[in-house]
Amino acid sequence: MRLTLYTDYALRTLLYLGGHADRRVSIREVAQAYGISENHLVKVIHHLGRGGFVDTLRGRHGGLMLSRPPEQINLGDVVRHTEDDMALVGCMVPPGREGSRAGERCVLAPACTLRGVLGEALGAFMAVLDGQTLADLLRPFEIKTVQAITPEGEKRVPESASESVMESASESAPDSAPDSAPDSAKKAD
């Protein structure tokens, strides 16, 4: 199963909004942060708004925010909302559904067990997503990583959780000015 770019953008947008939950963000900011098309992102965000995942507000003080707490945004629901076609093979497309694979008829259909196996696999895939919320993805390290992405696309992303811990420790250490070191500790020019 491969998720569409549309769903990828939707999930990344939700992660960005979750990492910046203290304020509204613009579509441009999200697009620039991820280096993706602003025009395409407008469509994704509009769809997320219609699905009740994102709150959009126009105007000078407008922007985007999650419409509910991350604990209430189920990943399975997001994927079902953004994926047009969950059929893994043509014969799984529901009858009457539009699409290039709709109504495909396989010569193996009367005796095929593959459809059942693929249906079970898809069910297992979705069960994992159904057991996760946006909050499960927004752990402290992930939030710090999302917040480190600047709108200009410049990224200052910690390479590992240990680097993040080291940065936190150095931030809490008292500042020591280089000029305050004893003369014996200073290098001679």
Side-chain angles (χ1 to χ4, degrees), residues 5-15 41 44-45 48 54 78 82:
L5 197 56
Y6 193 88
T7 298
D8 178 29
Y9 289 176
L11 292 169
R12 285 201 260 168
T13 297
L14 293 173
L15 285 168
L41 194 57
V44 172
I45 290 171
L48 287 172
V54 172
V78 174
T82 56

Side-chain angles (χ1 to χ4, degrees), residues 64-75:
L64 313 168
M65 290 185 87
L66 295 176
S67 63
R68 49 193 152 153
E71 297 81 12
Q72 295 177 11
I73 298 178
N74 181 275
L75 298 182

Side-chain angles (χ1 to χ4, degrees), residues 84-101:
D84 244 1
D85 181 5
M86 296 291 287
L88 297 179
V89 291
C91 63
M92 294 176 78
V93 176
R97 175 94 184 210
E98 290 184 30
S100 61
R101 300 186 314 169

Side-chain angles (χ1 to χ4, degrees), residues 25 71 130 137 178:
V25 301
E71 297 81 12
D130 287 338
L137 302 181

